[in-house]
Amino acid sequence: MSAAIDYLLHLADNALVLGQRNAEWCGHGPILEEDIALSNVSLDLIGQARMLYQLVATLKGGDATEDKLAYFRDTGEFRNYTLLELPHHGPLSGYAHSSLDYGTTIVRNFLYSALMALLWEALAKSNNADLAAIAAKSLKEVRYHLRHSRDWLVRLGDGTEESHARVQASLDHLLPYTQEFWAHSPAEAAAVKDGIAVDLNTLKADWDGIVAAALAEATLQRPQAGGYVSEGKNGVHSEHLGFLLAEMQSLARAHPNGVW
């Protein structure tokens, strides 16, 4: 039971954190159509998180609810990939000015949706009937997310000199964080052993193929992945997650018994 709960929380936290992060574009999209598209992607992700948190709450029992799991856990209790909590811009230092960079958003959404298209397809055959049903529904959504982000990746990479340079910089910054996909956490290993989860390393060759084909079409160069492997799914996060959660959880924590 514990392995299932930990694994489902990992999947739910991934969806919620990226959904919240992408929602920062609402009202700030580069064009109206993209503003609406990213808002819809965010709603899909938050909907996936809701289904998973509801399933976790059922398994935990007691007073557990989806809202408590989303709004009343602290940073170290979240199990999302570090990639998903990063801001919409490259690494900064000192007093450097930050701003929303659409290329960074697109690269992240592409790398993650390429993984989830494969994972949801595999989990649709899970021996856990509830998780299989969530996976089947989520698969339809993530295929749209992948098509949308891939189209923009190619458009920006094979676009102007400036758009190519900026999206290449985003890829150089973000791709090393995908190493975390393939490093088993204890929760994942236990869930795989119980037959609930899928060993992601069995999907790596297909993920590499999707990424390689898109980068070639976008005339982008794949950077070398090396160095530190982030551990967000083990609860070791960057400084950015705390700020994201503070904004997302502030209303619920200010009015913990509020209903509307």
Side-chain angles (χ1 to χ4, degrees):
M1 182 69 74
S2 177
I5 289 173
D6 291 343
Y7 183 65
L8 292 169
L9 280 175
H10 164 60
L11 296 176
D13 291 344
N14 282 339
L16 182 65
V17 168
L18 186 58
Q20 174 71 14
R21 192 54 98 187
N22 278 337
E24 293 173 355
W25 279 103
C26 185
H28 302 279
I31 56 175
L32 180 59
E33 187 177 34
E34 281 307 295
D35 200 307
I36 296 169
L38 270 186
S39 296
N40 284 329
V41 169
S42 292
L43 288 173
D44 287 344
L45 290 167
I46 292 170
Q48 292 167 16
R50 284 197 65 196
M51 291 187 290
L52 291 160
Y53 285 137
Q54 287 167 0
L55 180 53
V56 171
T58 300
L59 294 174
K60 289 174 73 75
D63 62 351
T65 67
E66 58 178 295
D67 286 343
K68 287 183 178 179
L69 293 168
Y71 294 135
F72 294 94
R73 286 188 298 141
D74 294 326
T75 304
E77 298 174 87
F78 273 72
R79 293 293 181 265
N80 56 280
Y81 295 124
T82 301
L83 171 72
L84 308 181
E85 70 201 39
L86 299 176
H88 301 283
H89 55 70
L92 300 174
S93 61
Y95 296 99
H97 176 69
S98 65
S99 59
L100 298 173
D101 181 83
Y102 201 64
T104 300
T105 301
I106 289 299
V107 169
R108 176 184 18 226
N109 286 350
F110 168 70
L111 296 173
Y112 176 68
S113 60
L115 174 73
M116 295 309 296
L118 298 170
L119 182 57
W120 285 134
E121 184 175 10
L123 288 177
K125 304 166 189 169
S126 170
N127 63 12
N128 182 304
D130 293 320
L131 178 57
I134 293 172
K137 182 179 186 306
S138 301
L139 179 60
K140 297 174 185 175
E141 297 169 344
V142 78
R143 282 174 172 165
Y144 163 75
H145 303 170
L146 177 57
R147 186 167 64 250
H148 173 265
S149 58
R150 189 188 190 284
D151 286 349
W152 272 99
L153 184 80
V154 172
R155 187 179 301 182
L156 294 174
D158 195 26
T160 66
E161 184 176 339
E162 180 180 357
S163 72
H164 176 89
R166 290 178 64 170
V167 79
Q168 179 68 58
S170 298
L171 182 66
D172 294 346
H173 169 49
L174 294 178
L175 192 120
Y177 287 93
T178 63
Q179 294 178 106
E180 187 179 355
F181 293 170
W182 323 114
H184 271 168
S185 69
E188 283 177 308
V192 169
K193 185 177 179 181
D194 286 357
I196 301 163
V198 173
D199 183 347
L200 283 185
N201 284 295
T202 64
L203 307 177
K204 188 174 187 306
D206 289 337
W207 184 85
D208 282 333
I210 293 171
V211 171
L215 296 188
E217 192 173 342
T219 69
L220 294 166
Q221 297 298 315
R222 180 170 179 163
Q224 292 291 325
Y228 174 71
V229 178
S230 54
E231 297 185 77
K233 62 186 177 185
N234 291 322
V236 181
H237 294 284
S238 71
E239 69 273 25
H240 306 293
L241 182 62
F243 291 103
L244 182 145
L245 293 181
E247 181 175 8
M248 185 185 76
Q249 297 177 336
S250 60
L251 182 62
R253 292 195 178 219
H255 305 281
N257 296 315
V259 293
W260 54 83

